[in-house]
């Protein structure tokens, strides 16, 4: 939609326009690169890789920018260049995943016209409009007089232009505003006036229009007059997304009075003037320290309206800057924001007036009045800087329990921002001719003043072409487009909640616990009954079968006597509409007797609250290994959890069939079998009465492997009770609260090694936060232990894995399933070990890598070990050594910006660790017209499984893919399916499909022999007329799997997927911000079934991993309440977070004999490669700490958020903001 809007307004956009238009759109699963790549075809200024074709920096021309060595290490267009198509005479390499000449050209004449009545509307005399709902009246006046009298009549009414704040408050904060007035049509409130002192904007002017006016003013006026305007523009650059800026008004931003507003500190520091109007008349107030009277309160009286805002011109000798730091650069609320203004006495560097305004440091936007008073009349020099920081650290203090947390970080930011302002002003003073009066800026400090700049995205994807002579209709190995791609892009793809409503259908809303651990004393639904449309309340007493559920039978469909987490399902309300059911659910009253909760891993360790079945893995003699080691290192690392954030939340539609307990369930699930089994169990019927149908999911990532069943069972019970179809799709905040995520891990390690970096012995303990039920936590821990080596040969190993039982919603499967946590802790001790030895990390890693034929710590022999090839290719294609020297040079020349680089391998075992799950079934029907209907046990969640299965069936049957169709996955076609998980779905379902196809081909053999020149349709027609069955099932299981932890023997994995990534980052040492400059990935996916889908999976996994290791942070209160319940607080990567240069190469000539058509699994293995970004950040921090005289190893927990990066870059500013002593205060949030 964003792209369509852009093209309607600008048919020939620049690439920068396209990237700007996408701000505020989230689609982490794609990795964003393919979206930009697709839409790049509309840009008039860009070609193959994001740079002007064959111009500077083009992937096809070699890089002139020496930081980068060209697409494949500087060989551009020379012998062996990756872009030439040939590496050698045998293997053809391609970099083209699509052919844009096949696209339909954009023809603006064929677009629907903009409705003429809307265009002429503005010329007509407008009439006041009023809409009345059940609880809210919405009035749209047309004149200022009407508005003033309405506000006099309804003084508590909310004024709304874009509804970007009130809408959220009503929807998410349960606030009700009975009267809403919309002043968007009133001319005076949309007027823009240029006065002698500044520019006045009507309060209803949108932020977009403010931006346009300011941009023009900056272009037209002398620079000294537009200092404030430039600061406003810099803040607006990162203010929400274009969709919000198009509708949100400047007046709304002021009157919301948010303490973290981006604009209010700028308006306050600049002394902007506000005109207020009421029946009493007009008055003007200045935005100063008296304007905000308390949290979200201002001096504006209830009957008054903010009419306009005057933003002043700056004067000669006046300088202004604005800064903002957030968890994510794009479309994110500020952690700390500020506006800073200084006016010097004419021709001097002596301060005449100074205003420092901060947001995020108090319940309101505040001015640092004491500091400003002390600095007035002082010269702008080093002494002023030191005093200002000392004064600010005292004045901008925060309680260690302050809401929002991050106290040390926020306090440090106030000083860092002032330092940036100080340097920026020094620079401007020296340019203005006041040079002699001020101190010169050290050249290494200049980069601290630079505003954020991102280069256009550049990328290349390389894969092996199919062998010469492969039939044109044989699509295996070709980059076939995802079969649903066009439907998904146009919005025509049908998801669970898109299914048309049934007659008399009801909507269900869950009623969940607000306490982490408590006894339920009473549940009162009487108030809910008075809500219009209410039908009934469902709870444990309504379950016709068993209320016990869960993988380990340790959960309930509905909580009965005790709740064990916030979000524990107690009941559900059924009503005629979604809105009514929501309202009724909020009206259900529950009384609790609170019990002490266990929330964190640390609390669980102290109270020995563990799930039974502690796993251990031992190899060699650890004690002897330590004795033989030159050095021994001990340490620990914490990894935070991660929210799945699939685009489609959990959704179920249950349709009772009216006889014999039959029920049809349309569900967004990766696990139809368990969904069927658990629903049947709750309904008290055998599984053959319940059919589960899955068309597609909007993402899963493991979050819909088991946790979807908690919702489905509730909806099924409700449908049984009412005898009517029941639907429920969770809102994002409900979904995040209830469904659990990736397990937080604490790893404690002791590693022994030689002076040359060779590892001798490892002792490691893993603790995971399992939540309130077992679910899949033991399986996750098993995989973590099986990946504690990452890719390194460790002769002596002792590992233990303990799952903590806590009062959080049960954590569950998530892409990687414990593997990333296990490997991350391995890379932690590996980086510390290299630091201790004083050796380059890449050399120490290479020294310890496995080789072909080695055995792992779980005694599995490594065969077809391609990791060394991936490593060497990645080192070469990334120009690692040349760029490392340039980074060292950059770091010498820059004190406050640092770069880092890291190369990381991965080895990921492929199979379910529960052996019997490694099975799959398929069903193939061939109809008499020759078309094929294919069904298999895997579900489609956007990963392209159905596309690959069609390719497999196409080759197996020898028919074009256009003849094959997959409708859905269902329990009445393929029974007892394993969940679509563990990356094995293409392997096992592909072989099942192949086997079913072979059965049909065998039956067709005599017919084909009798008519060898016949067509497929001829053979099928003959087979039907000869009474030959044209339907077949297929089945496959992975042979010889099974592993015993106690004996450390057996074979847990069928094979391994390998990959290597090299990433370069730049950090801002003053703010903790970082940008991903470049990533090169080399991945072994065997002989790819579909390079387009496999590269998409690699990029999507990598960006999801960037989220896991650098951004996404779940924050809980000490009482176990989740704060981060939606995209407002929980930040996943956006378009601007992907590496500016992103190169992905599939390893050539590495067929895998253990999977269908020599392919390999690709879903989970690449995710861990984004650890290269984390350790590149750590590398950059090392450089910053070195400048502060710190050279020893330091702890950096994951994710490496701006807060952790800034706090780790110890310097004079962090030392001025010492931490409060733990235990002396109650923190706002805890590390779970």
């Amino acid at each position: 939609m964003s792209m369509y809007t852009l093209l309607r307004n600008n048919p020939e956009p620049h690439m920068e326009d396209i990237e700007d238009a996408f701000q505020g759109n989230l689609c982490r699963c794609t990795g964003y690169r393919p979206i930009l790549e697709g839409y790049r075809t509309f840009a008039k200024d860009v070609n193959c890789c994001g740079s002007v074709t064959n111009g500077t920096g083009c992937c096809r021309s070699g890089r002139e920018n020496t930081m980068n060595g060209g697409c494949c290490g500087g060989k551009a267009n020379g012998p062996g260049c990756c872009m030439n198509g040939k590496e050698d005479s045998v293997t053809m390499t391609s970099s083209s995943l699509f052919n844009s000449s096949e696209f339909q050209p954009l023809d603006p004449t064929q677009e629907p016209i903009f409705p003429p009545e809307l265009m002429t509307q503005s010329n007509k005399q407008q009439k006041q409009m009023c809409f009345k709902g059940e609880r809210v009246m919405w009035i749209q006046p047309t004149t200022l007089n009407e508005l003033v009298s309405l506000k006099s009549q309804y003084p508590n009414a909310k004024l709304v232009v874009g509804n970007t704040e009130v809408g959220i408050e009503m929807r998410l904060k349960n606030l009700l505003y009975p009267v809403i007035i919309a002043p968007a049509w009133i001319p005076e409130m949309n007027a823009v006036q240029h006065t002698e002192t500044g520019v006045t904007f009507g309060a209803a002017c949108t932020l977009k229009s403010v931006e346009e006016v300011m941009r023009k003013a900056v272009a037209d006026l002398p620079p000294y007059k537009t200092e404030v305007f430039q600061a406003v523009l810099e803040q607006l650059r990162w203010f929400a997304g274009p969709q919000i800026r198009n509708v949100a008004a400047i007046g709304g931003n002021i009157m919301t009075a948010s303490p973290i507003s981006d604009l209010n500190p700028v308006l306050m520091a600049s002394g902007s003037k506000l005109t207020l109007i009421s029946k009493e008349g007009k008055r003007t107030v200045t935005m100063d320290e008296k304007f905000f009277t308390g949290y979200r309160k201002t001096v504006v009286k209830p009957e008054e309206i903010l009419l306009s805002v005057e933003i002043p011109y700056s004067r000669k000798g006046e300088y202004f800057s604005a800064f903002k730091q957030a968890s994510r650069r794009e479309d994110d609320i500020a952690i700390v924001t500020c506006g800073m203004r200084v006016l010097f006495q004419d021709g001097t560097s002596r301060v005449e007036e100074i205003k420092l305004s901060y947001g995020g440091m108090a319940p309101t936007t505040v001015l640092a009045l004491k500091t400003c008073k002390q600095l007035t009349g002082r010269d702008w020099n080093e002494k002023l800087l030191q005093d200002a920081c000392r004064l600010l650290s005292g004045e901008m203090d925060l309680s260690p329990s302050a809401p929002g947390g991050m106290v040390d970080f926020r306090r440090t930011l106030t000083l860092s921002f002032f330092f940036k302002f100080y340097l920026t002003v020094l620079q401007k003073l020296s340019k203005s001719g006041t040079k002699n009066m001020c101190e010169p800026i050290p050249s290494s400090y200049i980069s601290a003043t630079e505003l954020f700049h991102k280069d256009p995205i550049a990328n290349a994807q390389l894969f092996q072409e199919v062998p010469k002579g492969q039939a044109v209709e044989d699509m295996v190995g070709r980059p076939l487009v995802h079969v649903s791609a066009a439907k998904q892009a146009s919005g025509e793809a049908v998801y669970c909640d898109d299914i048309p409503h049934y007659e008399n259908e009801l909507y269900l809303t869950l009623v969940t616990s607000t306490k982490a651990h408590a006894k339920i004393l009473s549940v009162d639904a009487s108030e809910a009954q008075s809500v219009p449309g209410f039908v009934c309340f469902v709870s444990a007493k309504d379950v016709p079968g068993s209320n016990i559920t869960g993988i380990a039978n340790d959960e309930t469909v509905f909580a009965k006597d005790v709740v064990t987490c916030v979000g524990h399902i107690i009941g559900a309300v059924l009503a005629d509409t979604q809105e009514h059911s929501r309202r009724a659910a909020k009206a259900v009253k529950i009384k609790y007797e609170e019990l002490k909760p266990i929330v964190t891993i640390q609390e669980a360790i102290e109270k020995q609250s563990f799930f039974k079945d502690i796993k251990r893995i031992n190899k060699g003699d650890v004690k002897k290994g330590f004795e033989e080691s030159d050095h021994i290192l001990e340490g620990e690392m914490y990894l935070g959890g991660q929210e799945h954030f699939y685009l489609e939340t959990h959704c179920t539609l249950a349709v009772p069939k009216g006889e014999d307990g039959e029920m049809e369930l349309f569900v967004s699930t990766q696990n139809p079998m368990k969904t069927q089994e658990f629903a049947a169990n709750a309904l008290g019927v055998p599984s053959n009465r319940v059919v589960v149908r899955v068309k597609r999911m909007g993402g899963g990532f493991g979050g819909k492997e088991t946790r979807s069943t908690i919702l489905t069972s509730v909806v099924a019970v409700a449908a049984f009770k009412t005898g009517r179809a029941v639907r429920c799709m969770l809102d994002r905040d409900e979904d995040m609260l209830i469904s659990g995520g990736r397990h937080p891990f604490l790893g404690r390690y002791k590693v022994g090694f030689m002076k040359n970096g060779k590892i001798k012995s490892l002792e490691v303990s893993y603790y995971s936060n399992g939540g309130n039920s077992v679910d899949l936590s033991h399986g996750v821990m098993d995989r973590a232990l099986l990946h504690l080596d990452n890719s390194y040969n460790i002769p002596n190993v002792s590992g233990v894995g303990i799952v903590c039982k806590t009062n959080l919603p049960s954590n569950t499967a998530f892409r990687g399933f414990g593997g990333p946590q296990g490997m991350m802790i391995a890379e932690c001790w590996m980086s510390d070990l290299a630091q201790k030895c004083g050796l380059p990390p890449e050399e120490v890693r290479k020294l310890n890598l496995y080789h072909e034929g080695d055995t792992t710590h779980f005694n599995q022999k490594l065969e077809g070990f391609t990791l060394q090839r991936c490593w060497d290719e990645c080192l070469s294609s990334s120009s690692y050594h040349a760029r490392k020297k340039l980074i060292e040079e950059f770091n010498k020349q820059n004190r406050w910006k640092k770069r880092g680089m890291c190369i990381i391998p991965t080895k990921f075992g492929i199979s379910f660790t529960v052996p019997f799950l490694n099975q799959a079934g398929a069903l193939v029907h061939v109809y008499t017209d020759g078309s094929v209907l294919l069904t298999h046990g895997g579900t489609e969640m956007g990963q392209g499984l159905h596309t690959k299965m069609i390719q497999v069936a196409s080759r197996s049957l020898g028919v074009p893919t256009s003849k094959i169709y997959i409708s859905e996955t269902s329990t009445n076609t393929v029974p007892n399916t394993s969940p679509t998980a563990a990356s094995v779905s293409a392997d096992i379902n592909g072989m099942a499909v192949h086997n079913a196809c072979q059965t049909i081909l065998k039956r067709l053999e005599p017919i084909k022999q009798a008519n060898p020149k016949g067509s497929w349709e001829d053979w099928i027609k003959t087979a039907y007329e000869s009474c030959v069955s044209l339907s077949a099932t297929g089945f496959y299981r992975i042979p010889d799997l099974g592993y015993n932890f106690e004996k450390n023997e057996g074979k847990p994995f069928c094979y391994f997927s390998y990959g290597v990534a090299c990433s370069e980052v730049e950090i801002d040492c003053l703010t903790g911000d970082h940008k991903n400059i470049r990533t090169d990935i080399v991945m072994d996916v065997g002989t790819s079934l579909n390079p387009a889908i496999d590269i998409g999976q690699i990029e999507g996994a990598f960006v999801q991993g960037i989220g896991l290791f650098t951004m996404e942070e779940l924050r809980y209160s000490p009482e176990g309440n989740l704060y981060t319940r939606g995209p407002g607080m929980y930040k996943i990567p956006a378009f601007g977070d992907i590496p500016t240069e992103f190169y992905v190469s599939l390893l050539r000539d590495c067929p895998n004999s253990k999977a269908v058509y020599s392919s390999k699994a690709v879903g989970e293995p690449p995710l861990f490669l984004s650890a290269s970004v984390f350790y590149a950040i750590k590398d950059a921090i090392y450089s910053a700490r070195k400048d502060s005289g710190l050279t020893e190893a330091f702890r950096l927990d994951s994710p490496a958020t701006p807060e952790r990066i800034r706090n780790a870059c110890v310097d004079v500013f962090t030392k001025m903001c010492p931490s409060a002593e733990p235990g002396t205060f109650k923190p706002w949030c805890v590390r779970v």
Side-chain angles (χ1 to χ4, degrees), residues 860-861 863 987 991 1036 1038-1039 1051 1053-1056 1151-1156 1158-1159:
Q860 182 165 341
K861 190 177 179 186
E863 298 164 322
D987 291 4
M991 287 303 292
Y1036 178 72
I1038 299 177
K1051 184 181 170 189
F1053 302 119
C1054 180
Y1055 62 88
F1056 298 89
N1152 172 34
S1153 61
K1154 294 179 176 169
V1156 63
S1158 305
S1159 62

Side-chain angles (χ1 to χ4, degrees), residues 775-1075:
D775 192 67
L776 300 171
S777 296
H778 288 311
V780 168
M781 184 55 80
D782 289 356
R783 189 170 277 272
L785 288 169
L786 293 169
H787 286 78
L788 62 78
D789 57 339
N790 187 6
S791 309
Y792 307 117
N793 194 341
I794 312 166
N796 307 293
V797 174
S798 170
V800 61
I802 299 167
V803 181
C804 299
K805 184 178 184 179
T806 62
N807 294 113
L808 296 183
S810 192
N811 283 314
T812 188
F814 197 142
R815 196 180 204 163
F817 204 74
Q821 292 99 312
M823 294 187 278
M824 190 67 171
I825 290 158
E827 290 300 342
C828 177
W829 51 253
M830 182 57 81
S831 74
D832 286 355
L833 182 159
Q835 176 80 0
K836 177 81 177 168
C837 293
L839 294 167
E842 71 278 7
E843 285 180 21
V844 177
R845 285 186 169 97
K846 168 88 173 172
L847 176 71
N848 287 292
L849 285 181
Y850 283 115
H851 292 86
E852 175 74 29
D854 284 347
T855 56
T856 63
H857 64 290
F858 46 89
N859 290 319
Q860 182 165 341
K861 190 177 179 186
L862 296 172
E863 298 164 322
F865 186 75
T866 58
L867 189 63
Q868 299 272 358
R869 275 183 64 201
C870 293
W871 180 271
D872 293 341
E873 196 170 304
C874 191
L875 271 179
S876 163
S877 67
S878 65
S879 311
Y880 181 89
H881 294 294
R883 281 168 56 216
K884 195 173 175 186
K885 283 181 187 156
L886 291 164
I887 287 168
E888 284 166 10
E889 198 51 46
F890 177 91
N891 289 344
K892 275 182 200 160
Q893 291 168 10
N894 293 277
R895 171 62 185 95
W896 303 108
K897 293 264 172 82
K898 296 291 180 185
R899 288 186 178 175
M901 188 162 66
C902 187
I903 183 166
I904 293 276
T906 189
K907 164 185 68 69
F908 195 87
I910 304 301
S911 293
F912 283 101
T913 48
V914 177
F916 66 78
L917 291 176
N918 294 289
Q919 60 171 298
L923 177 64
V924 176
H925 297 319
V926 185
Y927 295 98
T928 53
D929 63 353
S931 65
V932 179
L933 181 66
L934 174 60
T935 314
H936 59 90
T939 54
E940 176 63 49
M941 53 191 124
Q943 84 280 39
L945 179 62
H946 284 353
T947 307
K948 285 185 172 181
M949 294 306 93
I950 286 170
Q951 288 174 281
V952 168
S954 165
R955 174 179 276 190
S956 299
L957 293 173
V959 300
T961 53
S962 58
K963 288 195 182 299
I964 303 168
Y965 185 68
I966 297 177
S967 172
E968 64 179 7
T969 308
S970 57
T971 54
N972 59 352
T973 51
V974 180
N976 311 324
T977 58
S978 293
T980 306
S983 305
V984 296
S985 299
D987 291 4
I988 58 178
N989 290 290
M991 287 303 292
V993 166
H994 177 71
N995 292 343
C997 293
Q998 293 306 309
T999 302
I1000 285 176
L1001 286 178
K1002 212 166 190 182
R1003 294 176 193 160
L1004 291 177
E1005 230 166 69
I1007 296 161
K1008 289 167 87 172
Q1009 283 168 358
N1011 179 14
K1013 291 188 176 170
S1015 66
W1016 169 256
E1017 287 78 4
D1018 294 337
W1019 299 331
I1020 295 305
K1021 186 168 181 284
T1022 306
Y1024 171 70
E1025 289 167 357
S1026 307
C1027 299
V1028 172
S1029 170
L1030 291 170
S1031 175
T1033 59
F1035 183 80
Y1036 178 72
R1037 72 177 182 92
I1038 299 177
D1040 310 322
L1041 287 180
Y1043 173 75
N1044 184 313
F1045 268 93
E1046 284 170 20
K1047 296 179 182 173
N1048 194 10
E1049 65 181 33
K1051 184 181 170 189
F1053 302 119
C1054 180
Y1055 62 88
F1056 298 89
S1057 283
Y1058 305 104
V1060 175
C1062 173
S1063 293
E1064 180 185 349
V1065 302
E1066 181 178 296
I1067 66 169
D1068 183 329
C1069 307
L1070 291 167
T1071 63
D1073 221 4
H1074 87 274
K1075 63 177 174 181

